[in-house]
Amino acid sequence: MSSPTPTKNTSLPKRLADFPTLPDALDYAAQGETGFNFYSSRGHLNEVLPFADLRTKARDVARNLCGAGVVSGDRVALLAETAPAFLIAFFACQYAGAIPVPMPTPVAFGRRDAYVGQIRNQITSSGAVMVITPLEFMPFVKEAADGLDLLLVGTLDDLRAQPQADDLNTGGPDDLCYLQYSSGSTRFPKGVAVTHDNLMANCTAMNVAVNVSTEDRGVSWLPFYHDMGLVGFMLGCLTSQTTVDFIPTEEFARRPLAWLRVISENRGTMSYGPSFGYELCCRRFSSSNAAAPNLDLSSWRVAGIGGEMIKPQVMRAFAKVFKSCGFADKAFNASYGLAECVLGVSFSTPGHGMLLDHISKQELGGDHRAVPIDDDGSGTGRTFVACGVVIDGHTVEIRDDDGAVMAEREIGRVFFSGPSVMQGYFGDQEATDACLQDGWLDTGDLGYFWGDQLVIVGRSKDMMIVNGRNYWPQDIEWTVEHMDGMRSGDAAAFTLEQDDGSEKPTILVQCRPSAADIREALVDNVRSRVQNQVGLACDVILVPPRTLPKTSSGKLARGKTKANFLSGEIQPLAAGA
Amino acid sequence: MSAEPSEGASQDVRAAVLEVLQTFNKTSVNLEDGTRFTEDLNFDSLLVMEFIAALEDRLDISVPLNVLPDIETVGQLVVATEQIVREEYG
């Protein structure tokens, strides 16, 4: 069996993403010995892809892309499995001046139609001219691409069978580097468009923020179709010539302890995940009734947490369970970011662990101030994890509803500016204008400053994150409104934040019938329909007709709906009985 | 392992699937061929993976990801699992 790529390059000096473009970054990394390794959940090293090999293979396939008729700026959709084929295709696009569009792999029982619809929407929204997929997903992709005029729908090998062009035409720093669809709803997708310049600015800042050195080695199970997986652990590490050991996401979900085993065996130093990734490890460890696992986690320097609201008690439980394996809770590194800023916005100082702020619920909801109180267990406060310091060269402002900058410990909307901010949503000027003005990005999130620490308390925008997966209320509402007897505007979906930091997905449904049995059936039907179509278990609450507030343009006022529901202005109907 | 091919292999696979599934059946729903994973058993994507891992360990097989989108019911899972066992054990 071959061995994984080393942690250190023998002589190539470390450079932290100070490259004009992604091809320049790979050209440099390819001069060393580091690279990417692919493990199975049972701990087998399946494949080794040194950066040098990745470069050679990607340049080769880039000639096929051009030979097949792909020209500069064309989008190429790639089913983003955690495997070398995806990375080769991704970087082939870079050398060919094309824009790769990573698309998700299927993850759940059933819902074939929903999955096929989702990837079809991404193909058409991005205007992709070609789709590359692993063989095993070909039936879904063929169905999704049915009737579309594409140069090729095939595997990497099919692409390699295309004629090869002589010349390559890589993009410049101002050209788009990739499109990221993790921010869009499945039915109404929005592709985040970033340039090489944007990407490098963020990768440099992130590498600096966590003090990346030649001693570092990444370990990741995060999917390549998500920003934390694509940028954080693939592009972020490649642009700093850092070796990464990958475990496919679906394998991690099956056997989460494989994550810790790879860290232990390869002396990994950096690894990230949402809270639920850590939770899964605890859960599986305690249910496997094994004795103390034979793991050494003492090398784990940066145990990053991000991607959803951080649950402090989950992190504490993880630290307690794995302390005997050498895990230090000082390694926890809370961070905040979003794809619209490439990835990272703020990071904690490595080695400092989690900083907790316990604030009064009354002022949190009332006059939007974060007033610190003692955590006396009385339930009058909520604990938030500080998400660290804003990255170098970028600025965050907390603003009120009128756009005025707010003082420390005042809660408002989080605005971000700097060289990492995206160009916009691909081909969607309206959505771009709604969040991006004069170089300032409205993140849609709510937060406050505690000294130089950024604390995020919730989202004012619509995205719902449950167990690390993103869901969009529009998709849920669309599903409900297209059921028999329902009309447009009859449903409003949002999450209700719980005290433990988790979010409970909730749907308000306007209900006209008054008979108890009909109401009861409606609740069941809505719940099961949404679960089947969207894959999310929601609380369904019936409300009287004409109670869901609308904006002046007639759209659902989702934020107001939630506020009215919390204040009691919208009262639920008795479901049945 | 109970996955040795034999005359009663198909019966064994069905029994194994139901046995593993029973440990994940938190809603205490009656398990029949028509029982649906998402609607009836409340399986989310995490639980699906945890269940698949247990099934793989129980039968010493590897369930490919691409079979999942076409499986909505217990009966469909039994058929798909039988197919995988046949392919892996001949």
Side-chain angles (χ1 to χ4, degrees):
Chain A
M1 197 174 82
S2 52
S3 17
T5 59
T7 298
K8 268 189 199 184
N9 277 319
T10 47
S11 61
L12 190 70
K14 194 101 170 155
R15 283 176 62 181
L16 301 185
D18 57 341
F19 303 100
T21 66
L22 208 38
D24 295 313
L26 181 52
D27 288 349
Y28 184 76
Q31 298 169 43
E33 299 83 34
T34 52
F36 295 144
N37 307 296
F38 297 84
Y39 285 81
S40 76
S41 65
R42 287 169 165 140
H44 298 297
L45 178 59
N46 285 343
E47 290 184 87
V48 178
L49 186 66
F51 293 133
D53 284 10
L54 174 56
R55 177 178 183 273
T56 305
K57 288 172 177 164
R59 287 182 63 88
D60 190 44
V61 174
R63 292 182 197 289
N64 299 114
L65 279 173
C66 297
V70 172
V71 298
S72 270
D74 275 353
R75 278 77 60 206
V76 176
L78 308 172
L79 220 67
E81 56 164 350
T82 307
F86 167 75
L87 296 178
I88 292 165
F90 185 93
F91 284 94
C93 289
Q94 301 300 336
Y95 284 111
I99 304 167
V101 185
M103 298 196 300
T105 51
V107 287
F109 275 142
R111 302 180 55 225
R112 181 198 177 104
D113 294 347
Y115 174 66
V116 168
Q118 177 184 12
I119 56 176
R120 184 181 178 88
N121 278 340
Q122 293 187 3
I123 295 169
T124 53
S125 159
S126 64
V129 299
M130 183 184 278
V131 188
I132 302 298
T133 172
L135 190 59
E136 65 260 39
F137 301 123
M138 188 67 85
F140 309 119
V141 175
K142 283 267 195 232
E143 199 181 324
D146 186 43
L148 301 177
D149 185 21
L150 300 170
L151 295 172
L152 174 71
V153 177
T155 63
L156 185 65
D157 283 341
D158 294 334
L159 178 54
R160 282 177 166 136
Q162 297 287 312
Q164 286 200 314
D166 294 331
D167 297 318
L168 293 179
N169 178 19
T170 60
D174 296 334
D175 288 319
L176 295 186
C177 183
Y178 61 84
L179 299 187
Q180 168 97 49
Y181 272 95
S182 58
S183 295
S185 90
T186 55
R187 196 163 295 280
F188 310 100
K190 287 192 287 187
V192 169
V194 305
T195 62
H196 293 271
D197 259 350
N198 297 146
L199 173 71
M200 292 301 163
N202 204 244
C203 286
T204 302
M206 289 193 297
N207 276 303
V208 167
V210 296
N211 299 335
V212 167
S213 78
T214 54
E215 308 292 323
D216 280 311
R217 184 181 187 100
V219 178
S220 177
W221 54 266
L222 303 165
F224 289 146
Y225 51 84
H226 194 276
D227 50 4
M228 223 197 302
L230 182 77
V231 181
F233 271 85
M234 200 276 277
L235 299 173
C237 287
L238 180 137
T239 54
S240 64
Q241 310 89 48
T242 305
T243 279
V244 186
D245 303 310
F246 290 109
I247 301 153
T249 309
E250 67 277 6
E251 301 251 338
F252 165 76
R254 292 179 204 197
R255 296 178 184 82
L257 296 178
W259 176 28
L260 308 184
R261 247 185 323 259
V262 171
I263 292 174
S264 173
E265 275 166 28
N266 289 356
R267 312 303 296 145
T269 65
M270 303 187 296
S271 198
Y272 271 69
S275 294
F276 96 88
Y278 292 89
E279 192 171 7
L280 216 50
C281 286
C282 286
R283 200 161 94 188
R284 199 58 61 83
F285 173 62
S286 53
S287 68
S288 69
N289 62 44
N294 191 16
L295 295 170
D296 177 0
L297 301 177
S298 59
S299 61
W300 198 355
R301 182 178 74 80
V302 182
I305 331 157
E308 62 181 4
M309 291 297 287
I310 298 166
K311 304 175 192 170
Q313 74 281 19
V314 165
M315 308 315 298
R316 276 196 289 257
F318 180 92
K320 197 172 162 205
V321 168
F322 294 100
K323 191 178 176 203
S324 64
C325 306
F327 181 80
D329 61 1
K330 295 281 181 214
F332 283 136
N333 190 299
S335 61
Y336 164 69
L338 61 168
E340 283 81 347
C341 307
V342 178
L343 173 61
V345 168
S346 68
F347 289 85
S348 304
T349 309
H352 285 212
M354 289 191 297
L355 277 176
L356 303 181
D357 198 23
H358 194 75
I359 64 175
S360 158
K361 274 186 193 171
Q362 198 181 343
E363 278 90 355
L364 172 64
D367 57 0
H368 307 295
R369 284 187 307 124
V371 177
I373 56 171
D374 285 338
D375 188 0
D376 56 5
S378 65
T380 54
R382 257 186 81 179
T383 304
F384 290 100
V385 180
C387 289
V389 182
V390 177
I391 53 173
D392 274 355
H394 296 73
T395 314
V396 165
E397 284 181 1
I398 306 295
R399 299 186 187 171
D400 68 15
D401 287 345
D402 301 321
V405 177
M406 302 174 84
E408 188 186 350
R409 287 203 169 277
E410 288 181 344
I411 298 168
R413 284 167 92 92
V414 179
F415 281 73
F416 179 79
S417 81
S420 303
V421 173
M422 67 167 179
Q423 300 303 299
Y425 296 112
F426 188 78
D428 192 343
Q429 196 59 45
E430 195 187 341
T432 304
D433 291 342
C435 69
L436 192 56
Q437 268 166 16
D438 308 323
W440 284 92
L441 179 91
D442 179 355
T443 66
D445 294 323
L446 296 174
Y448 62 92
F449 273 112
W450 167 26
D452 61 355
Q453 294 284 323
L454 179 62
V455 186
I456 301 295
V457 300
R459 274 181 301 277
S460 63
K461 76 173 171 195
D462 300 332
M463 186 170 63
M464 306 157 77
I465 307 185
V466 180
N467 284 337
R469 286 178 67 84
N470 301 348
Y471 299 89
W472 288 83
Q474 294 91 330
D475 293 336
I476 296 170
E477 290 153 6
W478 191 92
T479 298
V480 176
E481 287 162 6
H482 284 75
M483 293 171 61
D484 280 348
M486 301 307 273
R487 299 174 199 163
S488 180
D490 269 347
F494 47 80
T495 55
L496 295 177
E497 291 81 16
Q498 312 290 299
D499 281 350
D500 67 355
S502 65
E503 304 188 34
K504 193 168 193 52
T506 305
I507 319 172
L508 302 190
V509 179
Q510 294 188 153
C511 170
R512 282 166 282 272
S514 55
D517 56 337
I518 295 181
R519 286 185 178 179
E520 210 167 336
L522 179 62
V523 168
D524 284 349
N525 286 342
V526 167
R527 187 184 295 124
S528 98
R529 180 88 183 159
V530 168
Q531 193 150 39
N532 182 273
Q533 293 294 306
V534 186
L536 190 62
C538 294
D539 263 7
V540 178
I541 296 169
L542 302 181
V543 298
R546 294 180 302 279
T547 46
L548 300 182
K550 303 262 192 300
T551 65
S552 52
S553 60
K555 288 184 181 166
L556 173 73
R558 201 173 288 108
K560 189 156 187 246
T561 302
K562 178 173 170 176
N564 288 358
F565 179 71
L566 287 173
S567 72
E569 194 173 317
I570 298 179
Q571 283 288 335
L573 290 169
Chain B
M1 281 296 146
S2 60
E4 290 303 312
S6 70
E7 288 297 304
S10 161
Q11 213 47 46
D12 291 349
V13 170
R14 171 176 293 271
V17 169
L18 292 178
E19 177 195 313
V20 176
L21 193 51
Q22 197 58 54
T23 62
F24 286 82
N25 184 6
K26 281 160 190 149
T27 47
S28 299
V29 168
N30 226 359
L31 296 178
E32 293 162 356
D33 273 1
T35 307
R36 296 165 303 175
F37 286 99
T38 46
E39 290 95 331
D40 301 327
L41 293 171
N42 261 331
F43 268 38
D44 63 14
S45 55
L46 274 185
L47 203 58
V48 166
M49 287 305 174
E50 204 172 324
F51 165 64
I52 291 290
L55 186 64
E56 287 180 334
D57 290 346
R58 174 71 176 75
L59 290 172
D60 199 16
I61 54 172
S62 172
V63 178
L65 205 56
N66 63 350
V67 305
L68 300 187
D70 287 317
I71 296 174
E72 289 185 358
T73 65
V74 171
Q76 288 166 343
L77 176 69
V78 169
V79 171
T81 311
E82 284 167 354
Q83 172 82 21
I84 294 164
V85 170
R86 261 198 307 279
E87 278 165 15
E88 293 196 11
Y89 291 90

